[in-house]
Amino acid sequence: MHQVSTKRQTAERPVHPFVADLRSTADSAALKALTFSRLRTGACKVHCSSCRLREVCLPVGLTREQLQDVDDGLVTSLRKVPKGAALFHAGTCFDAVFAVWTGSFKTIVTSNQGNVQITGFQMCGDLIGLGGIDTGRHEVAAVALEDSQVCVIPYAGLEILTRKVPALQKHFHRLMSREISTNHQTMLQLGGMHAEERIATFLLDLFDRLRVRGFSSSSMLLRMSREEIGSLLGLKLETVSRVLSKLHTTGVVSVNQRHIEITDMNALHQVLEGGAVRNDI
Amino acid sequence: MHQVSTKRQTAERPVHPFVADLRSTADSAALKALTFSRLRTGACKVHCSSCRLREVCLPVGLTREQLQDVDDGLVTSLRKVPKGAALFHAGTCFDAVFAVWTGSFKTIVTSNQGNVQITGFQMCGDLIGLGGIDTGRHEVAAVALEDSQVCVIPYAGLEILTRKVPALQKHFHRLMSREISTNHQTMLQLGGMHAEERIATFLLDLFDRLRVRGFSSSSMLLRMSREEIGSLLGLKLETVSRVLSKLHTTGVVSVNQRHIEITDMNALHQVLEGGAVRNDI
DNA sequence: CGAGCTCTTGAAGTCGCTCAAAAGCGGTGG
DNA sequence: CCACCGCTTTTGAGCGACTTCAAGAGCTCG
């Protein structure tokens, strides 16, 4: 989901590609919101206080002292997940949530009958695994769409720390809540929209999430296949391809394999307006 | 969602119909798990410690002292919502979550273009409004499917109390997490299943939730219309009706308007097995 | 450079939708 | 008590959007 490839990450002192990405964009507001200090990773330990994602991720809006509490109280380690590998499988024991640091993921739910559904794509700053708190087992699988790194946040520690730091508690609740409302939006797409509307909404949502993170708001590199997009949206890969082709030929977006550029933002919004109301209770 | 109609609720001392329902069922395990003390409602104040839903609702597994903390710390009032009325509308200010005490609700998300999607049905013990924590505004509307009553749980107080009572915190997180995984299951239905599979899954899920609450596990009275079921499952009301008719004629379930009885549980499960895998990533 | 993906595009098929009409149910009032 | 009205539900017939099947083109990476 970055347009800059992830390079130079030593085990000792990983440097976040986000920095380079931000510098290359015009979005100076998002740029200012982030700090550029190096991540201290003594033996793969990471500290929220020095992470440049901290204003996108879990510890949003914490004071210096509160961040210190987080550093002290939360034993957080960094974990690498190669492209295509699972961060965790469905049904395995839940004992930590994961914050995406670099790269991106898909989460997949599978029915007893073998039906498969992608429930979402996660990028840097997103939390993964919240659905496992209830039963103590992960109800989805999480798979890396590219070589990725995550912060491992032990849930037991998080429980304790959120009791100690109200601002952290508030934001943790916010992130769980956001997951819920995001899911509702996806259900809206799945339940009543035409193929074109689903794709348009998907693209707009993706661009928006990238914009918030300081990336370009007009072009992006998809990290997922047509089939994966289809699985999220309840469409077949051929349908996804056809719709993208149509949007390309009508001059709404420029599609070049996985490189997408929005050429006519108004037209993209009008794809949604044009769609008839299919469900009114 | 009860098969016994809700009667005799005075403003002073409402008696929960759940008690009557439980007594009429054979599920003695669920019956034992609940206490039958009267609800003290001095001026419409309610106390978790004396509520017979407390082992289904928010304060699960709390000790007597912890319950006392909840009673003292959480100013909870009871609110009546007539059939068809909104508990809250989308976009309105969020300052409390609601626990369904009697009756049932639907939650509805609406797109800017007017598309409408039901995101879930809630029955006694379920929490409503969790999606509003993130932005401070409700992202869905909640509408009563029948005359209902909810416990109003101010969110500010809940934040404080969950920091004080770890067991309450744990269970609150569990309920948020459950909402997430429930949504994922719905997305699985919406994304890849055939109409028959969606209906079968819906019925099985509904029966399961009723069973947990001590109701009969073989017959129920639907509180929602065919159109509302269709909205949840991404189907038209005619399709819902047709599928129910087919299941009826094939002897899987007995459908009589909104009265549903499962006559062949195995066959209902086989509706799912028979469905071909339509999505494999 | 070639094997294995992913993606595109076409043609035929199908499941669920749309449109339509009638029946059933519940409530109201003469 | 029964006729009437509005709403929900059922059922039929035809249609359309998306899927399925199929073949070929384009990437990617060892």
Side-chain angles (χ1 to χ4, degrees), chain A residues 106 109 111 113-117 119 130-134 139-140 155 159 162-163 166 169-170 172-174 176-181 183-188 190-193 227 231 234 236 272-273 276-281, chain B residues 106 109 111 113-117 119 130-134 139-140 155 159 162-163 166 169-170 172-174 176-181 183-188 190-193 227 231 234 236 272-273 276-281:
Chain A
K106 60 177 174 183
V109 62
S111 74
Q113 291 73 40
N115 273 27
V116 168
Q117 172 74 24
T119 56
L130 295 172
I133 295 173
D134 181 31
E139 33 88 63
V140 295
Y155 181 63
E159 268 188 331
T162 51
R163 288 203 296 271
Q169 178 202 35
K170 189 173 220 83
F172 179 58
H173 288 175
R174 274 202 187 143
M176 292 205 90
S177 176
R178 187 175 307 167
E179 171 87 27
I180 291 171
S181 36
N183 288 339
H184 288 168
Q185 289 302 317
T186 305
M187 286 165 68
L188 188 58
L190 287 167
M193 288 187 186
E227 185 170 20
S231 176
K236 289 291 148 188
L272 304 182
E273 302 297 334
V277 179
R278 291 186 63 189
N279 249 340
D280 27 6
I281 297 290
Chain B
K106 61 177 173 181
V109 61
S111 73
Q113 291 73 41
N115 273 28
V116 168
Q117 171 74 25
T119 56
L130 296 171
I133 295 173
D134 180 31
E139 34 88 61
V140 294
Y155 181 62
E159 269 188 329
T162 50
R163 289 202 295 269
Q169 178 202 34
K170 188 172 220 83
F172 179 58
H173 289 175
R174 274 202 187 143
M176 292 205 90
S177 176
R178 188 175 307 167
E179 170 88 27
I180 291 170
S181 36
N183 287 338
H184 288 167
Q185 289 301 316
T186 305
M187 286 165 67
L188 188 58
L190 287 167
M193 288 187 185
E227 186 170 21
S231 176
K236 290 291 148 188
L272 304 182
E273 302 298 334
V277 179
R278 291 185 63 191
N279 250 341
D280 27 7
I281 298 289

Side-chain angles (χ1 to χ4, degrees), chain B residues 1 15 60 90 94 98 115 206 233 259 270:
Chain B
M1 311 207 174
V15 171
V60 167
F94 163 90
F98 304 92
N115 273 28
L206 208 52
L233 301 177
H259 187 86
Q270 275 177 1

